[in-house]
Amino acid sequence: QGTDESNIDKIAENATMRRSSGPIVRAATDTEKKDRAMHHLYARKATEWLTVRDFEDTKTCIESLREEGYQIWATDLGQEASCLTEDGIRQHLGGGTYDGKLIPNKVAIVFGTEAVGCTTEMLNAADLRVYLPLRGFADSLNLSVATALVVHQMFVLDPSLEGAMTEEERRELRQAWYAKLASQRLLSSADKKRRGKLTAYLERCAEIEKKMKAGEVIYKEERVKWSKMDAKRAELNAIEEKLAADSKKAVKELVDNPPSPITDMRRADEHRICFVGKNTKKASPWQDMPATRKIAVTKYATAAFFRERVATNEEKKD
């Protein structure tokens, strides 16, 4: 789902936010609802940076993992589970390791639903059932938090963990992801607006076409709009095709010579930003904080940087 105004307004309309302070409850303002809707849409875009494989059923998934040489670790709160710590893993292995390491070279971590966890079929197939070491009174976490903590714990157990990918697989992933990053910078504001309008136009045409197939009444203006659908689709395709080609040109050298992975998560001041309103940034105590000063970024992340790389590669081609 895109972040166009129509989507934001739809989410805001359905929002039932409430802010509470003691016994007084007030409804959130329209601005607050819209801000929350914006955040909701940004958060959903996190899936763009995942490689997703679908399986018809659990049995097929297990068979595929076995064929590819993966160990299966299933998260579980049952008595057969081992604590996801060095002591827990060593105890499971009888004091041993996986070729000198605590984590297998290829391992698939399985998470079940929040309500009931992993299926019996998956638990029976698992080489190891694991649970997180917790403190306090809560005996479980919601799925997203548990997933993040388990992945983090894996790196705590083995800081050298990098994933079992071939160099060619890594290159293919860089090609796809770097190009996607560049594509977010290359379009001008006018192009983005035009693409958004074309997308909305085609969505409306699809609704009209659905009505036509259902034998519903189609008004003259709807038929006129629908008649231009092919031309609008061609225009949108042309924008997308040029963007895809330019994105590949922009990251060509970076794909073969990638920057070093981030090992220190502390950020330079020029990379620190926050998603708050302009007036909030000016207000004390936000004023002059690194994240609110809006230091100009002049390298690697700007539209100018990627556009210059496109132009350079086109000159080399000529």
Side-chain angles (χ1 to χ4, degrees):
Q1 187 170 353
T3 55
D4 59 86
E5 290 292 323
S6 61
N7 287 331
I8 295 167
D9 288 337
K10 288 177 183 176
I11 294 173
E13 285 173 7
N14 296 325
T16 55
M17 294 171 56
R18 295 290 186 271
R19 178 176 293 170
S20 176
S21 176
I24 302 173
V25 178
R26 73 170 180 82
T29 65
D30 291 339
T31 300
E32 288 171 327
K33 290 181 180 180
K34 198 161 187 174
D35 287 344
R36 183 58 178 268
M38 286 287 286
H39 175 77
H40 170 76
L41 292 171
Y42 294 148
R44 289 189 65 176
K45 294 185 72 176
T47 55
E48 293 183 10
W49 308 104
L50 296 175
T51 301
V52 180
R53 291 176 61 187
D54 292 318
F55 298 91
E56 290 185 2
D57 50 41
T58 302
K59 182 176 181 292
T60 306
C61 176
I62 293 170
E63 291 174 347
S64 178
L65 291 173
R66 294 299 186 208
E67 288 174 4
E68 295 175 29
Y70 281 92
Q71 284 269 316
I72 299 175
W73 288 12
T75 55
D76 183 38
L77 293 178
Q79 291 297 304
E80 295 181 32
S82 299
C83 192
L84 191 57
T85 60
E86 180 175 350
D87 289 342
I89 293 174
R90 287 187 182 277
Q91 184 177 356
H92 167 73
L93 295 173
T97 60
Y98 295 97
D99 296 327
K101 293 187 175 183
L102 291 171
I103 309 296
N105 184 46
K106 298 181 75 171
V107 60
I109 308 294
V110 183
F111 298 87
T113 65
E114 289 189 353
V116 296
C118 294
T119 63
T120 301
E121 183 178 9
M122 183 59 75
L123 290 174
N124 289 338
D127 299 289
L128 176 63
R129 303 181 190 184
V130 297
Y131 70 94
L132 283 167
L134 295 177
R135 301 291 184 271
F137 300 97
D139 62 354
S140 65
L141 303 168
N142 67 42
L143 185 57
S144 61
V145 173
T147 302
L149 289 177
V150 167
V151 172
H152 178 264
Q153 183 70 359
M154 298 285 281
F155 282 95
V156 170
L157 292 169
D158 185 356
S160 68
L161 205 62
E162 295 179 353
M165 291 191 293
T166 65
E167 182 53 39
E168 184 56 32
E169 287 173 330
R170 293 175 189 274
R171 189 183 183 282
E172 289 177 2
L173 199 59
R174 289 197 297 269
Q175 177 68 72
W177 285 12
Y178 287 9
K180 189 179 294 185
L181 283 168
S183 69
Q184 297 173 356
R185 296 288 187 271
L186 287 172
L187 285 182
S188 66
S189 297
D191 288 335
K192 290 178 182 177
K193 185 177 292 185
R194 182 58 184 160
R195 183 172 65 170
K197 288 183 177 179
L198 287 169
T199 301
Y201 191 102
L202 291 174
E203 288 175 352
R204 179 58 183 142
C205 285
E207 293 174 1
I208 295 171
E209 193 167 49
K210 187 176 180 180
K211 288 174 62 178
M212 293 170 66
K213 290 180 179 179
E216 298 180 22
V217 176
I218 304 298
Y219 297 103
K220 180 180 179 181
E221 57 269 22
E222 289 180 316
R223 191 170 294 278
V224 171
K225 181 183 286 289
W226 178 81
S227 68
K228 299 177 182 178
M229 181 174 62
D230 290 341
K232 297 294 184 181
R233 183 180 288 116
E235 186 177 350
L236 179 61
N237 288 342
I239 293 175
E240 299 292 359
E241 288 171 7
K242 184 178 187 306
L243 178 60
D246 286 348
S247 298
K248 288 183 178 180
K249 292 176 185 175
V251 301
K252 184 177 179 181
E253 286 80 11
L254 294 173
V255 170
D256 294 321
N257 301 286
S260 300
I262 296 174
T263 56
D264 186 343
M265 295 306 294
R266 294 172 295 178
R267 300 183 185 181
D269 284 353
E270 59 265 30
H271 292 158
R272 298 181 64 184
I273 59 174
C274 62
F275 297 98
V276 297
K278 294 179 180 179
N279 293 332
T280 304
K281 289 182 180 181
K282 295 176 183 178
S284 178
W286 295 77
Q287 201 169 17
D288 293 327
M289 290 178 65
T292 60
R293 274 184 287 172
K294 199 177 180 181
I295 301 172
V297 178
T298 59
K299 194 175 182 181
Y300 298 129
T302 64
F305 170 78
F306 288 113
R307 287 170 185 163
E308 286 172 6
R309 297 185 71 85
V310 172
T312 300
N313 282 313
E314 285 180 343
E315 289 174 1
K316 289 180 180 179
K317 186 177 179 180
D318 294 339

